Amino acid sequence: MPYDALMGMPWSSDGITTNTEIARGDSLTALHDLEGFPPYAAYVARGKEIEELISLTSISYELSQQLLFSTPPEQLADVTFGELTPECWSYSMADVVLNGTPEMSAAWLRYEEYAQHMDGTPEEIANQAKAGLLGPVRIHPSDGAPVILWPPENERAVDFQEPEPGTYRFQMAANVTANGTVDLSFDLSDPVQLEAARKHYLKLATSLGKVNEVAKRAKFLLFRAAFLLQWTSFEVFLRETIEELLTRHPQVILESAGKKGTLSYEQLFSMTNKLSTIESLRRELIDMEIERLRSNGRSIHGMLNFLKGAFRFKSDPYKAWYVYKGERRQASYNTLIEIKERRNTLVHEASDSRSATSSKEEQELGDEEYMKYILTLRSVAYSVSFSVHHQKYEVPNSAGPA
């Protein structure tokens, strides 16, 4: 089955014979499963979930696009979703845009304040209030002054709610962008309901824009999201690998941080859970060292270089290989730099100055580019895991090899 037709869906090569060349220095035993190493096992599991997301979403996009092309718009003209009442809305404070200026809708006002709203004098308002013409009179809690409720009774809405004396209630117009929840429950075993379900979901799809433009945009968003998830997963893998190695060899923390690093009594007290456990201190020191390695924007490269230097890997983790469309390729330090820069462009495309000057085509991430990037990350992760799992590294100033 052609790769392009599946938009990068993962597939198994069981039953296929390949002539992939294994370079000198690659061990045949290196091709066996490394999932006995927990950080790598977790990384592989996350990768499978991301690839499954791509497969399921890609199929959904393709089916939707085909159905939209084969369904005339007039067939969807009578599809409705009912009234979206406020009980169906979900939104945050960031989704509310206020228009205009606030207007007081209710308050207990002193006579002089009330007069300003009624084109009268304070004396006239006081006389009307004493005569009972303006409703009940209350006492303002701050100074004991008499107050009456505004607006007048004949101007109040049906759902008017009386505020407490001393408080003001304001209202103003606002635009709210909300997510509306619609219950679309269909019995798909019923042909009539199945057709109704198809029309409702196609109606939703048409609201996103023109079919060709939406399909292209959807593919870009899918691969961008998947790529960023893969990058984050790789970062987590490196962090967990360093945690594993520092747990095995805590003396490396001293070599890495240097002898000038100090802790105050307050820090020590906090990091040991009030001096109750040394394990808590170990975890805190490991976390501090990892954060130090990730500082100054180095992130992945900082952690990889630490592994190479602090544990003297016998094999350079950057020199990992993969096969793309039958051609063996080599990963490198520069390859990861390229992937990192691509990641930064995708994350900051709305505000990054590089994004503003680059063309839209340069920002798009296709399935082929995505596959090469992910194969690179996967190969480097495998290389690191192999060295750690099979103890192909050395710890300086220790009793010997790990």
Side-chain angles (χ1 to χ4, degrees):
M1 187 174 293
Y3 172 86
D4 291 340
L6 293 179
M7 294 180 67
M9 289 171 53
W11 58 284
S12 173
S13 59
D14 294 344
I16 297 179
T17 301
T18 177
N19 293 321
T20 299
E21 177 186 355
I22 297 179
R24 182 177 300 177
D26 288 339
S27 170
L28 289 175
T29 60
L31 300 179
H32 84 288
D33 191 3
L34 281 180
E35 295 192 17
F37 179 51
Y40 183 72
Y43 173 71
V44 170
R46 291 191 298 266
K48 289 180 179 179
E49 291 179 350
I50 296 171
E51 294 306 311
E52 183 179 12
L53 170 66
I54 291 180
S55 298
L56 293 173
T57 309
S58 297
I59 292 172
S60 299
Y61 287 166
E62 290 295 330
L63 287 174
S64 298
Q65 187 175 13
Q66 293 170 22
L67 288 171
L68 286 171
F69 273 121
S70 62
T71 304
E74 54 268 20
Q75 289 188 12
L76 307 176
D78 60 342
V79 177
T80 60
F81 295 93
E83 182 181 0
L84 290 176
T85 60
E87 291 77 15
C88 302
W89 300 352
S90 299
Y91 57 92
S92 73
M93 59 187 297
D95 300 315
V96 180
V97 179
L98 301 177
N99 296 325
T101 57
E103 295 182 0
M104 187 175 66
S105 60
W108 288 91
L109 303 179
R110 298 176 179 84
Y111 294 156
E112 57 270 22
E113 295 174 315
Y114 200 97
Q116 293 175 5
H117 291 276
M118 300 299 294
D119 291 331
T121 65
E123 292 76 15
E124 292 173 340
I125 298 301
N127 292 333
Q128 293 179 37
K130 292 175 182 178
L133 300 178
L134 301 179
V137 178
R138 299 274 196 271
I139 300 299
H140 199 284
S142 65
D143 57 8
V147 289
I148 48 181
L149 184 60
W150 187 90
E153 185 173 357
N154 61 347
E155 297 180 15
R156 299 171 193 169
V158 177
D159 57 350
F160 177 81
Q161 294 183 351
E162 181 180 309
E164 293 292 328
T167 62
Y168 296 79
R169 182 174 294 131
F170 292 86
Q171 68 179 14
M172 63 185 305
N175 292 330
V176 179
T177 303
N179 292 320
T181 304
V182 179
D183 183 15
L184 294 179
S185 299
F186 300 98
D187 180 3
L188 301 184
S189 63
D190 181 347
V192 176
Q193 293 195 46
L194 177 62
E195 177 64 15
R198 186 182 70 86
K199 287 186 175 181
H200 275 78
Y201 283 104
L202 286 177
K203 184 74 171 183
L204 288 173
T206 59
S207 66
L208 299 176
K210 297 180 180 179
V211 178
N212 286 331
E213 295 177 0
V214 170
K216 186 177 180 181
R217 179 66 176 165
K219 185 176 179 180
F220 163 68
L221 293 174
L222 172 62
F223 280 103
R224 182 179 68 176
F227 170 68
L228 296 178
L229 286 173
Q230 292 277 17
W231 177 267
T232 301
S233 178
F234 186 68
E235 265 193 316
V236 171
F237 159 75
L238 290 178
R239 180 186 179 95
E240 292 177 345
T241 298
I242 293 176
E243 289 177 351
E244 174 75 18
L245 285 170
L246 292 181
T247 301
R248 295 183 191 179
H249 314 284
Q251 70 273 22
V252 174
I253 297 177
L254 178 61
E255 296 294 328
S256 175
K259 296 182 180 180
K260 294 183 179 180
T262 60
L263 290 175
S264 66
Y265 282 131
E266 182 180 4
Q267 287 176 303
L268 189 62
F269 192 73
S270 174
M271 294 167 68
T272 57
N273 192 19
K274 300 180 180 180
L275 302 179
S276 64
T277 170
I278 195 67
E279 179 59 29
S280 176
L281 176 61
R282 182 200 301 265
R283 302 307 309 171
E284 289 284 352
L285 288 175
I286 290 174
D287 288 342
M288 286 176 60
E289 181 60 17
I290 291 175
E291 287 306 311
R292 188 184 70 82
L293 296 171
R294 298 178 69 235
S295 66
N296 301 323
R298 291 185 298 171
S299 187
I300 280 178
H301 290 86
M303 289 188 282
L304 277 171
N305 291 339
F306 170 76
L307 287 171
K308 289 176 58 180
F311 296 96
R312 297 180 182 174
F313 276 31
K314 296 180 180 179
S315 298
D316 187 346
Y318 288 115
K319 294 181 179 179
W321 60 266
Y322 64 93
V323 175
Y324 179 71
K325 292 188 175 181
E327 178 184 347
R328 180 182 170 115
R329 302 192 179 195
Q330 197 76 27
S332 66
Y333 177 89
N334 290 334
T335 305
L336 282 181
I337 288 290
E338 176 188 342
I339 297 175
K340 179 183 178 180
E341 290 178 349
R342 193 73 166 96
R343 175 259 181 196
N344 291 341
T345 300
L346 292 171
V347 169
H348 306 296
E349 63 172 348
S351 57
D352 194 351
S353 59
R354 291 173 299 175
S355 174
T357 57
S358 61
S359 66
K360 184 177 181 181
E361 290 73 18
E362 290 175 336
Q363 296 178 37
E364 291 178 354
L365 178 68
D367 49 355
E368 290 192 9
E369 188 180 16
Y370 168 84
M371 181 58 68
K372 286 186 284 187
Y373 286 165
I374 301 316
L375 287 173
T376 299
L377 296 179
R378 193 179 300 166
S379 297
V380 173
Y382 187 93
S383 176
V384 171
S385 300
F386 179 81
S387 294
V388 176
H389 190 59
H390 294 285
Q391 301 182 4
K392 302 293 185 181
Y393 63 92
E394 295 179 354
V395 180
N397 301 323
S398 68

